[in-house]
Amino acid sequence: MARSRTVLITGATGAIGSALAREYAAPGTRLVLHGRRREMLASLADTCRARGARVELCDIDLTDDRQLSDWLDDLAERQLPDIVIANAGQNTHAGPAGELEPWPETSGLLAINLRTPLAMAHRLAPPMVRRGSGQLVFVSSLAAWHGLPLTPAYSASKAGLKAYGEGLRGHLAPHGVGVSVVMPGYVRSAMCDAMPGPKPWLWSPERAARAIRRGVTRNRARIAFPLLLHHGCWWLAVLPASVSQRLLRLLGYGRGQP
């Protein structure tokens, strides 16, 4: 009997995470879903089981090193995941009169957006290397190309995750382990609704999940969408910073003067 494929998804009660769980739910797939909203997680599990998947749930604090390492070590011992999608994340934004993001929010954001995915890789990449297969997927953002004035801490966390994932891909490729960095634009969600600034080319979570799955299946280094917004954000990274910042203000993403 063929071994079932195991897919681990953190942030499974968020818009993209839940859409990914439904996208991967199928007979022969074991889903390990992490989320902190228990009722939503249980409902999502029922949906995925109805589609034929085996489902395991977890609601630990991902920023607690002991809880995280114990959970991942147990998973690796019982059945090492084939695909790990580090999707859990938070956002915060700056105030209207030059205030920075509140430090407690910024500290928590960096812990879940950046530190947790790195910690997950440290626990799961070594056994994947020993097995000779696996896929690590880090959900970054198009904001990683150039920091947005309204969300500098969020942009920094996603830029760090992008750099880490791209570096790790080169390091693990010779050992049969793939690494993909996902760089979404605006995807309809409560977090997206709370973000200040325009939201062009807004995608549905389901469309985003399909694009992510296609890219992961092909082991693409970078899974970025939508195309036009991706090109625009890439140019922000290439142009002189003074030009990029002026463009961002003109487009409604900044406050104040240089």
Side-chain angles (χ1 to χ4, degrees), residues 34 36 38 58-75 119 123:
H34 176 277
R36 299 306 300 275
R38 296 183 181 182
C58 179
D59 63 356
I60 65 163
D61 179 358
L62 293 175
T63 65
D64 184 302
D65 283 354
R66 176 60 63 85
Q67 291 187 49
L68 180 63
S69 61
D70 288 350
W71 174 51
L72 296 178
D73 288 349
D74 176 64
L75 286 177
R123 304 308 297 191

Side-chain angles (χ1 to χ4, degrees), residues 26-240:
T29 297
R30 170 179 170 246
L31 291 174
V32 180
L33 306 178
H34 176 277
R36 299 306 300 275
R37 290 175 283 185
R38 296 183 181 182
E39 290 186 3
M40 291 182 63
L41 195 61
S43 176
L44 176 63
D46 289 342
T47 298
C48 294
R49 290 185 181 114
R51 298 186 180 193
R54 295 168 51 213
V55 182
E56 180 177 327
L57 304 179
C58 179
D59 63 356
I60 65 163
D61 179 358
L62 293 175
T63 65
D64 184 302
D65 283 354
R66 176 60 63 85
Q67 291 187 49
L68 180 63
S69 61
D70 288 350
W71 174 51
L72 296 178
D73 288 349
D74 176 64
L75 286 177
E77 183 177 344
R78 290 188 287 116
Q79 186 173 332
L80 179 64
D82 301 283
I83 301 172
V84 174
I85 304 177
N87 169 69
Q90 298 176 1
N91 195 7
T92 185
H93 53 85
E99 303 96 336
L100 301 183
E101 303 104 319
W103 178 248
E105 293 180 11
T106 298
S107 181
L109 177 151
L110 292 172
I112 192 66
N113 288 15
L114 182 57
R115 193 173 185 276
T116 291
L118 270 63
M120 292 176 67
H122 270 263
R123 304 308 297 191
L124 296 176
M128 285 182 170
V129 167
R130 290 192 292 270
R131 184 180 62 187
S133 67
Q135 183 87 4
L136 297 171
V137 182
F138 299 109
V139 179
S140 177
S141 167
L142 289 181
W145 283 122
H146 183 93
L148 297 178
L150 302 176
T151 54
Y154 175 83
S155 301
S157 71
K158 295 303 186 178
L161 190 57
K162 172 183 176 291
Y164 180 78
E166 290 173 347
L168 196 63
R169 179 181 174 91
H171 181 62
L172 296 180
H175 306 284
V177 179
V179 179
S180 295
V181 175
V182 181
M183 301 179 69
Y186 294 103
V187 177
R188 191 172 60 246
S189 65
M191 188 169 80
C192 179
D193 291 343
M195 292 177 68
K199 300 173 180 67
W201 294 292
L202 185 69
W203 276 27
S204 71
E206 293 74 20
R207 185 179 181 185
R210 290 193 296 271
I212 293 169
R213 183 177 181 179
R214 285 195 301 269
V216 170
T217 299
R218 298 168 185 169
N219 187 27
R220 291 180 57 186
R222 189 178 294 150
I223 305 167
F225 56 83
L227 183 62
L228 288 176
L229 189 58
H230 175 222
H231 285 332
C233 291
W234 180 83
W235 273 108
L236 291 176
V238 173
L239 292 169

